[in-house]
Amino acid sequence: MTGARLEQKERTRRAILDAALALSEDSALVALSLRQVAKEVGIVPTAFYRHFPSIEDLGLALVEESLDSLRALLRELRKPAGVDFRSIIDGSVAVLVEQVGRHHPHFGFIARERFAGPPQVRAAIAHGIGLAEHELSIDLAHLPGTDRWSEQDLQILSSLIVGAMVTTAERLIAAAEDPAAEQQIADMARAHLRMMVIGAMNWRSS
Amino acid sequence: MTGARLEQKERTRRAILDAALALSEDSALVALSLRQVAKEVGIVPTAFYRHFPSIEDLGLALVEESLDSLRALLRELRKPAGVDFRSIIDGSVAVLVEQVGRHHPHFGFIARERFAGPPQVRAAIAHGIGLAEHELSIDLAHLPGTDRWSEQDLQILSSLIVGAMVTTAERLIAAAEDPAAEQQIADMARAHLRMMVIGAMNWRSS
DNA sequence: AGTTTGGGTGTACAGACGTACACCCAAACT
DNA sequence: AGTTTGGGTGTACGTCTGTACACCCAAACT
């Protein structure tokens, strides 16, 4: 398959994915029917099978590309954003707001399916978040001031921070791209990060 | 309606609520069908209408009683649990673990429907969590050391703590009542709270 | 004792669902 | 130029859905 043929197929496939993302927005993946999606895309129900073996496989594809967006976010966050804590915090929150805004449907999908999705999907999302915690704990170990921190202390801090970031992302999604609300959520997120960092700097392992 | 009659009706109603809670456990409220619930309960589909006008009303009733469990948790958490931070933290985490375990189906329901449920349900849950933040900020103001904190600083700390508690509750639910995992999650939650409190104690408003 | 009430039953129907099958026809091959 | 490939179509089927309707009968009333 080459040229225009493949191009058209890819276009329809994208349309299916987008339609599914849009239709599940105010409900859940499990409430999605093949016929609904097909109608939204503008194809006949049976044509759906040319692209996905079943609705569940569609769901898995959506998880896949949503987790891609999550990984892209993590990649951006890991880019060194400054030297002092203040600029690292400001930069991280800015990246979070920007990326969540850019891939709003994907992060919304993750938020909805994290606990309401099928077990396989829940596990994949949990794994993605676990990975973020792990990577953050590695990055934290390279920061000044954490020289004598134990592995466990690093995990405590990174899981605390990732948890707060997830909460912030969920708030941003629920804010439905209202700029004023986003501003307020970002302010709060920066304050949270500062408070956690202050806690970490004065931390004594017990 | 009196005596045995009402008693029997209440028993069937409970059975419907429990069946709905159990059936939606590994999916979502929206995926629930009237006939499924009726079959699980052991009644004929049309008998369902003797108790609820529709599946959506069943959902609202479940939200209602799940939020009751949440309010019960908050009530328990507000009982003074000690004088030093350590015992307050230990007591709070113990209460959280105990209450989430006791009302596991309810908290699981809240976790699933918080972002995947219908707008009305999402709003009700968000309101419940907002209330928790507000109440905590009031309680924090009465604690020693927060005398000169601004309203905003209190909100920052309370939303940070509530966020962490919600995350902990979600982890407990996902742990599916595995005692070893619960222990680990509780340990982590205590560490998180300690770190946040240390951050708060060294906090300087900006 | 006689009547009413109300939860539970059984049948019935229209609509939505997933999906099998035969078919069409333009793009891509030989 | 002739053939194959493959995305999209249309019909058709059995299953599941919500729900309307007539009915039953023990509990609760008068």
Side-chain angles (χ1 to χ4, degrees), chain B residues 2-5 32-36 45-46 49-50 55:
Chain B
T2 54
R5 201 76 177 253
L32 215 61
S33 85
L34 184 155
R35 290 179 108 103
Q36 261 178 57
T46 48
Y49 294 108
R50 304 290 184 197
I55 274 278

Side-chain angles (χ1 to χ4, degrees), chain A residues 1-15:
Chain A
M1 193 163 44
T2 54
R5 200 75 177 254
L6 193 142
E7 207 172 289
Q8 177 55 39
K9 172 156 191 180
E10 181 52 32
R11 220 174 309 153
T12 307
R13 186 189 147 92
R14 248 287 36 96

Side-chain angles (χ1 to χ4, degrees), chain B residues 85-102:
Chain B
F85 285 124
R86 170 61 66 112
S87 52
I88 291 176
I89 287 173
D90 289 358
S92 297
V93 171
V95 164
L96 185 71
V97 172
E98 197 269 337
Q99 290 285 317
V100 169
R102 183 198 298 274

Side-chain angles (χ1 to χ4, degrees), chain B residues 70-196:
Chain B
L70 179 62
R71 283 185 280 266
L73 166 61
L74 295 184
R75 221 176 305 125
E76 285 298 314
L77 282 174
R78 293 189 84 175
K79 284 184 185 169
V83 281
D84 57 322
F85 285 124
R86 170 61 66 112
S87 52
I88 291 176
I89 287 173
D90 289 358
S92 297
V93 171
V95 164
L96 185 71
V97 172
E98 197 269 337
Q99 290 285 317
V100 169
R102 183 198 298 274
H103 300 117
H104 200 270
H106 284 160
F107 286 103
F109 179 83
I110 290 176
R112 287 189 307 267
E113 302 301 324
R114 184 147 88 104
F115 297 112
Q120 200 178 350
V121 171
R122 297 189 202 187
I125 294 171
H127 179 261
I129 292 174
L131 198 72
E133 289 182 6
H134 180 246
E135 289 186 356
L136 178 58
S137 73
I138 290 174
D139 291 350
L140 288 173
H142 295 151
L143 246 48
T146 57
D147 318 19
R148 287 216 299 275
W149 279 46
S150 70
E151 189 68 28
Q152 203 183 17
D153 287 337
L154 288 168
Q155 277 176 25
I156 289 166
L157 179 55
S158 68
S159 71
L160 182 61
I161 291 175
V162 169
M165 293 299 251
V166 168
T167 300
T168 299
E170 288 170 344
R171 283 181 181 157
L172 286 170
I173 293 157
E177 309 188 272
D178 168 17
E182 281 189 0
Q183 179 71 40
Q184 212 170 329
I185 292 164
D187 287 342
M188 188 64 94
R190 278 186 283 270
H192 285 165
L193 280 169
R194 272 197 290 124
M195 196 174 279
M196 290 185 287

